[in-house]
Amino acid sequence: TLDDFLLKARSPAVNTSGYALKVAISDGSNTEYFWVNGFSNEGDQFSGVLNNEPRLVKKHKLGERISFHRDQIADWTYIDRGTRRMLGNFTACALLTKEPPAQAEEFKRQYGLQCD
């Protein structure tokens, strides 16, 4: 769950890294989903660094610190280097169902993603 993830991100376990949130950002007419790193929060208000180049939402840019609300969070992820697994990233699992099976399996193998 998001709450469990946020607890882990506040006090990361040894051999874990890459804690990120996927956030829906709108500019009025367009909505785009971005990975946000280096995030922090006070209650339901968050801020972090945009880790994707915007394509549709032109009011932000890669590397910019943005603010967002908890209800804008769509996904989360982090890497466990000890087990060589990517945890979370449920949106990638959903998108991989639309890819050719060989490509999907290669992506999962490359990133240690398990879509259960």
Side-chain angles (χ1 to χ4, degrees):
T1 69
L2 178 58
D3 289 327
D4 291 338
F5 168 78
L6 293 172
L7 284 172
K8 288 177 184 177
R10 271 189 218 104
S11 185
V14 174
N15 288 327
T16 64
S17 63
Y19 288 84
L21 295 167
K22 187 168 260 190
V23 179
I25 303 292
S26 296
D27 66 359
S29 57
N30 295 307
T31 298
E32 195 168 355
Y33 292 85
F34 298 96
W35 284 110
V36 175
N37 299 87
F39 60 88
S40 61
N41 72 297
E42 279 194 35
D44 287 345
Q45 190 62 39
F46 290 74
S47 66
V49 178
L50 201 64
N51 197 30
N52 298 93
E53 189 70 49
R55 294 185 184 151
L56 300 172
V57 175
K58 300 299 183 186
K59 69 178 183 178
H60 296 292
K61 60 182 182 242
L62 175 68
E64 179 182 348
R65 187 156 195 87
I66 62 168
S67 294
F68 54 95
H69 195 265
R70 181 186 178 100
D71 63 7
Q72 292 173 262
I73 299 171
D75 199 356
W76 53 263
T77 191
Y78 71 98
I79 305 294
D80 183 328
R81 293 184 312 275
T83 61
R84 301 182 70 189
R85 285 195 57 209
M86 174 184 287
L87 292 106
N89 202 352
F90 304 107
T91 50
C93 290
L95 292 170
L96 288 174
T97 65
K98 305 293 185 193
E99 297 297 321
Q103 285 181 317
E105 288 307 313
E106 176 56 23
F107 182 92
K108 289 189 277 188
R109 184 199 63 73
Q110 182 178 358
Y111 293 99
L113 182 62
Q114 293 181 339
C115 299
D116 301 329

